[in-house]
């Protein structure tokens, strides 16, 4: 899984110079956990609501003995990122509030345990009250710029309303001390998606059978 598995250049960059840079910035050896290629088509594509990454990144690994807890993401801009094309926006936490962390988490959406792991089953969406007073700062940057943020930084983005598509890659790392679990993560993600798809298919079949029984009962009534 992941674009670096299928693209030699991404893989060499993510596991080589970028990993070393992230490790140096964090003061410890970091390992690639996952990555996401973010594509925002022109004319209103993309955009996501305020959220934090740590709860979302754990959705696929809940209950696993190897699950990691600490995440740092390196955003690599492929194109220039501007407010017009929906650049990342980071929240500056108001003075007087402790920075969010494992010890001081915000109230957030826990996600639907039985929901689509790529939609309603995700976690980490911020409750409106927790976003009160935030100053959202646009992270405008040039192509090839790299920015780091941890799993507790609130962020969001608006749709791309420009006339050109916008691309960025988000490489997420975890400390080596918590394990090198990239392959396990993608295996767990694939299994959770498979289970959801099977459950959704069974629910659809059950609904269709229920409607068929109702139709049959209706047609069996004399004069109908």
């Amino acid at each position: 899984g992941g674009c670096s598995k299928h693209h030699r250049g991404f893989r060499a960059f993510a596991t080589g110079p970028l990993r070393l840079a992230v490790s140096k910035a964090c003061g410890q050896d970091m390992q690639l956990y996952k990555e996401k290629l973010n594509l925002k088509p022109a004319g209103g594509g993309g955009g996501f609501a305020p959220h934090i990454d740590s709860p979302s990144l754990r959705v696929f690994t809940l209950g696993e003995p190897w699950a990691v807890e600490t995440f740092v993401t390196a955003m690599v801009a492929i194109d220039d990122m501007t407010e017009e094309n929906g650049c990342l926006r980071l929240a500056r936490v108001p003075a007087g509030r402790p920075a969010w962390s494992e010890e001081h988490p915000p109230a957030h959406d826990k996600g639907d345990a039985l929901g689509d792991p790529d939609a309603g089953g995700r976690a980490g969406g911020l409750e409106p009250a927790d976003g009160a007073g935030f100053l959202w700062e646009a992270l405008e940057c040039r192509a090839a710029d790299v920015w780091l943020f941890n799993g507790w930084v609130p962020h969001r983005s608006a749709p791309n309303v420009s006339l050109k598509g916008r691309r960025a890659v988000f490489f997420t790392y975890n400390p080596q001390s918590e394990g090198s679990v990239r392959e396990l993560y993608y295996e767990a993600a694939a299994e959770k998606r498979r289970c959801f798809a099977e459950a959704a298919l069974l629910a659809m079949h059950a609904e269709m059978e229920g409607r068929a029984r109702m139709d049959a009962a209706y047609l069996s009534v004399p004069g109908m």
Side-chain angles (χ1 to χ4, degrees):
C3 55
S4 69
K5 181 176 181 178
H6 305 287
H7 191 286
R8 185 182 305 171
F10 275 150
R11 182 167 62 253
F13 177 64
T15 59
L18 184 60
R19 187 189 72 81
L20 293 176
V22 173
S23 297
K24 184 174 182 178
C26 295
Q28 59 180 315
D29 188 23
M30 305 292 285
Q31 295 296 312
L32 184 63
Y33 183 74
K34 69 175 291 286
E35 69 276 348
K36 177 180 71 173
L37 177 60
N38 181 261
L39 306 174
K40 279 194 177 185
F48 50 85
H51 69 284
I52 48 178
D53 283 348
S54 282
S56 176
L57 289 166
R58 295 170 180 168
V59 164
F60 295 123
T61 65
L62 291 175
E64 298 289 354
W66 49 265
V68 302
E69 297 185 348
T70 309
F71 305 101
V72 172
T73 294
M75 183 197 77
V76 182
I78 298 177
D79 303 299
D80 291 350
M81 299 179 69
T82 66
E83 290 195 66
E84 185 183 21
N85 67 21
C87 67
L88 198 68
R89 300 181 73 90
L90 306 179
R92 185 182 295 277
V93 179
R97 282 198 197 180
W100 287 340
S101 65
E102 201 73 42
E103 294 73 29
H104 299 284
H108 62 271
D109 181 7
K110 304 299 189 297
D112 177 4
L114 300 178
D116 183 345
D118 296 304
R122 300 300 294 267
L126 294 177
E127 299 294 339
D130 268 307
F134 279 4
L135 174 63
W136 292 96
E137 299 182 350
L139 185 60
E140 293 190 294
C141 57
R142 302 300 300 270
D145 281 356
V146 178
W147 289 82
L148 307 183
F149 57 96
N150 68 32
W152 294 102
V153 174
H155 55 287
R156 64 181 177 88
S157 77
N160 176 7
V161 297
S162 75
L163 299 178
K164 294 180 60 178
R166 196 269 286 156
R167 301 162 296 172
V169 189
F170 293 78
F171 296 99
T172 297
Y173 295 82
N174 70 272
Q176 174 62 49
S177 59
E178 295 185 13
S180 183
V181 298
R182 172 184 167 76
E183 294 303 322
L184 292 173
Y185 168 82
Y186 278 107
E187 289 172 6
E191 177 64 13
K192 193 170 184 71
R193 290 184 175 114
R194 184 190 65 78
C195 290
F196 171 76
E198 288 184 355
L201 185 61
L202 288 173
M204 182 180 68
H205 285 168
E207 182 179 358
M208 293 174 63
E209 289 176 357
R211 289 179 178 177
R213 285 194 295 270
M214 290 180 65
D215 290 343
Y218 177 81
L219 293 173
S220 67
V221 176
M224 300 300 289

